[in-house]
Amino acid sequence: MRLLSIVFILTLFGCNSKQQDDAKVVKKPNVLFILVDDLGYHDLGVTGSTFYETPHVDNLANESVMFTNGYAASRVCSPSRASIMTGKFTARHGITDWIGAKAGEDWRKRNRHDKMLPANYVMQLPKQDITIAEAFKEHGYKTFFAGKWHLGDKGSYPEDHGFDINKGGFHRGGPAGGFFAPWSNPKLKNKQKGENLTMRLANETADFISKHKDSTFFAFLSFYAVHAPIQTTQGKWAKYRKKADSMGIAESGYEMERVLPFRRVQDNPVYGGLVESMDDAVGVVLKALKDNGVDDNTIVVFTSDNGGVASGDHYATSNLPLRGGKGYQWEGGIKEPFFIKVPWLKSIKSSEVPVVSTDFYPTLLDLADLPLKQEQHVDGVSLKPLLEGNQTNIDRPLFWHYPHYGNQGGEPSSIIQKDGFKLIHYWEDGREELFKLPSEEKDTQNVIEQHPEIAKNLSNELSAWLKEVNAEYPLTDPEFDQDKRQQHLQNMVNKKWPNLEKQRKEVLSQDFKPNEDWWGSQVYKD
């Protein structure tokens, strides 16, 4: 009898151990999604910058699958973010410009004297869409959001779209009050004067990870960095000013594009410091995963919402050899760092397959072995077969629709990319450009005359798709004045460009000082 009891106890213990082991095996993976605002493709060391220093992101990239032809769904922020949340292209969900941008006749208030009136657009994330956060929440995930939202005002905040916790997400698209406390953010209380906003968001995320390490979580860290206003500490500015000097400061830092000057060199020490602060913050969050023992079971995504700001805003960086930047229709406006780390997959290190930010939604569900929502993420495909090394291509067209002008010099246009070609249709005059991809060229080799049939077929497919999704279009402004437009363009050449060159030299001078306390980063005792 005693022997039978021992056997029963050992058997029961063995069953319990097996059940515990099985529980560990079947535990769903966590997800950490890192979205940087306005980060250009070449703003990282791992993607080619010799000026900016990003060791933590570089290390993450080397542990990830790097999609070298990864794209944002839009050239500006709100539309791109809505596409990540919904798995839909911008023309389909209707948020085609950054929320708050003027449209229709209100555009005339900008005094740009443009030929067209930008199309109207949806002003908040549609409630009928099931966001990626809601999809994970349905399956028991604890959901967390930190940072920039910019997808609607009250009633359309992160907590209204599937996030249990919201730290810092509201209607504003930039860091209200700047990057150093006190800031003006109703969703993120000030704690300590001079605190760095980027690091605060990282610490909030790290704290969330620590508290929920034993559950399953979906954490979305959406930095306000590296959006304007670009700010940094005196120490980081000095480091990158010295570096720019040692690399040789070019006499001129800008060239003229069609509408605005654009930055052609990476030598802004303030922006360099801002990028490094973002990288420092990424390091904090990745360390939190490791310290809490969840790094081996956490999928990590790293990307940006649009290209780096080469024109407009603070003219912060250069995306060369890619042409353009944020707001532009060329590669510099939409090509992004696009990294996915799946700790248990080691099949491939990189992929040249064109992918887009609408793909994140089905990919993450698929990697977590959760059911896909085909009727929701209609413009995304799961990249899991690529990540596993079981697929080498995806046969589909990609679409972009931006019936607006924006702040950075882009033109109202729509794009289709398919079979190694990209066609751009311009709404002002109906002209089209055709480029061969993938390429590190600056989108200057228009090959439409060499491939007229390809251009015609792509143009027809683009038109049919825009009609299918009921796209909105810009309208010709009946008050357009060509003389005023020409004068505006001359001012950009004769006034704006020289002023930018002057400002660049000031920021690079040894005695540069933006204000007494370096944007609030230096805390003095009263």
Side-chain angles (χ1 to χ4, degrees), residues 322-393:
L322 302 179
R323 187 178 181 183
K326 178 182 180 180
Y328 281 95
Q329 59 273 13
W330 301 302
E331 289 287 273
I334 54 177
K335 189 172 182 178
E336 309 303 330
F338 198 111
F339 313 144
I340 302 178
K341 177 184 176 181
V342 186
W344 57 92
L345 293 182
K346 307 292 183 182
S347 301
I348 61 171
K349 294 299 296 179
S350 66
S351 172
E352 295 182 353
V353 176
V355 295
V356 66
S357 53
T358 51
D359 296 333
F360 287 125
Y361 194 146
T363 299
L364 293 174
L365 288 179
D366 206 5
L367 288 170
D369 289 326
L370 300 178
L372 302 187
K373 293 183 175 295
Q374 303 289 359
E375 294 183 358
Q376 174 60 50
H377 47 71
V378 291
D379 295 315
V381 300
S382 174
L383 306 179
K384 184 178 180 181
L386 287 174
L387 293 164
E388 292 175 333
N390 297 326
Q391 186 176 334
T392 58
N393 192 34

Side-chain angles (χ1 to χ4, degrees), residues 104-105 107-108 113-119 403 405 412 426-430 473-482:
E105 294 183 357
W107 181 251
R108 294 183 187 133
H113 307 293
D114 290 308
K115 188 175 183 179
M116 307 195 82
L117 300 174
Y405 285 99
Y426 291 90
W427 293 107
E428 281 192 344
D429 54 14
Y473 302 96
L475 300 174
T476 300
D477 187 352
E479 297 183 13
F480 173 68
D481 188 320
Q482 181 62 48

Side-chain angles (χ1 to χ4, degrees), residues 57-204:
V57 177
D58 294 350
N59 186 60
L60 172 62
N62 290 327
E63 295 176 346
S64 305
V65 174
M66 296 176 59
F67 288 90
T68 56
N69 290 299
Y71 292 93
S74 177
R75 63 182 84 169
V76 295
C77 53
S78 298
S80 180
R81 292 162 182 270
S83 291
I84 291 172
M85 289 293 163
T86 65
K88 294 179 178 180
F89 287 139
T90 61
R92 195 185 299 274
H93 60 60
I95 303 176
T96 51
D97 205 358
W98 60 273
I99 294 176
K102 296 185 182 302
E105 294 183 357
D106 281 348
W107 181 251
R108 294 183 187 133
K109 297 176 183 178
R110 296 292 307 274
N111 294 317
R112 287 264 306 264
H113 307 293
D114 290 308
K115 188 175 183 179
M116 307 195 82
L117 300 174
N120 292 315
Y121 60 94
V122 175
M123 300 288 284
Q124 66 178 26
L125 196 62
K127 288 187 178 295
Q128 64 268 26
D129 281 302
I130 301 170
T131 67
I132 188 172
E134 289 170 323
F136 274 91
K137 189 174 181 178
E138 285 177 5
H139 295 277
Y141 277 68
K142 188 71 174 178
T143 55
F144 170 89
F145 185 91
K148 174 173 174 174
W149 178 244
H150 204 188
L151 289 173
D153 211 326
K154 292 181 180 179
S156 187
Y157 283 168
E159 57 266 39
D160 301 306
H161 292 281
F163 289 98
D164 297 316
I165 300 171
N166 171 25
K167 298 290 186 177
F170 68 128
H171 71 278
R172 289 288 295 271
F179 280 101
F180 299 97
W183 43 70
S184 303
N185 189 321
K187 295 294 183 176
L188 193 68
K189 294 180 179 180
N190 288 288
K191 288 185 176 180
Q192 181 179 354
K193 188 176 181 181
E195 183 180 19
N196 182 284
L197 174 61
T198 307
M199 190 58 70
R200 169 67 177 278
L201 295 174
N203 287 331
E204 293 283 358

Side-chain angles (χ1 to χ4, degrees), residues 171-281:
H171 71 278
R172 289 288 295 271
F179 280 101
F180 299 97
W183 43 70
S184 303
N185 189 321
K187 295 294 183 176
L188 193 68
K189 294 180 179 180
N190 288 288
K191 288 185 176 180
Q192 181 179 354
K193 188 176 181 181
E195 183 180 19
N196 182 284
L197 174 61
T198 307
M199 190 58 70
R200 169 67 177 278
L201 295 174
N203 287 331
E204 293 283 358
T205 307
D207 184 58
F208 169 80
I209 291 169
S210 179
K211 289 179 179 177
H212 297 90
K213 62 184 178 181
D214 295 324
S215 62
T216 310
F217 60 79
F218 177 88
F220 201 106
L221 172 55
S222 176
F223 290 118
Y224 282 97
V226 289
H227 192 284
I230 59 171
Q231 299 172 348
T232 192
T233 63
Q234 184 177 10
K236 279 185 166 55
W237 165 83
K239 171 184 175 178
Y240 284 96
R241 196 215 69 82
K242 182 178 180 181
K243 187 171 185 178
D245 190 51
S246 67
M247 294 174 69
I249 298 175
E251 183 61 30
S252 175
Y254 296 89
E255 292 180 15
M256 193 67 194
E257 246 309 339
R258 292 176 181 171
V259 177
L260 289 175
F262 74 95
R263 194 178 193 100
R264 63 181 183 84
V265 289
Q266 291 185 347
D267 65 359
N268 188 325
V270 178
Y271 186 71
L274 183 58
V275 171
E276 184 177 298
S277 294
M278 176 277 297
D279 183 76
D280 291 341

Side-chain angles (χ1 to χ4, degrees), residues 492-520:
M492 295 300 102
V493 175
N494 299 328
K495 296 181 180 180
K496 186 66 176 181
W497 188 356
N499 284 338
L500 288 170
E501 296 286 8
K502 180 182 178 182
Q503 292 167 12
R504 171 175 168 265
K505 291 295 181 67
E506 290 174 351
V507 171
L508 285 164
S509 66
Q510 294 187 28
D511 57 353
F512 171 73
K513 189 174 184 180
N515 60 2
E516 287 302 314
D517 62 357
W518 281 80
W519 296 295

Side-chain angles (χ1 to χ4, degrees), residues 29-40:
N30 305 306
V31 176
L32 170 62
F33 196 117
I34 303 173
L35 180 63
V36 186
D37 197 12
D38 291 355
L39 185 75

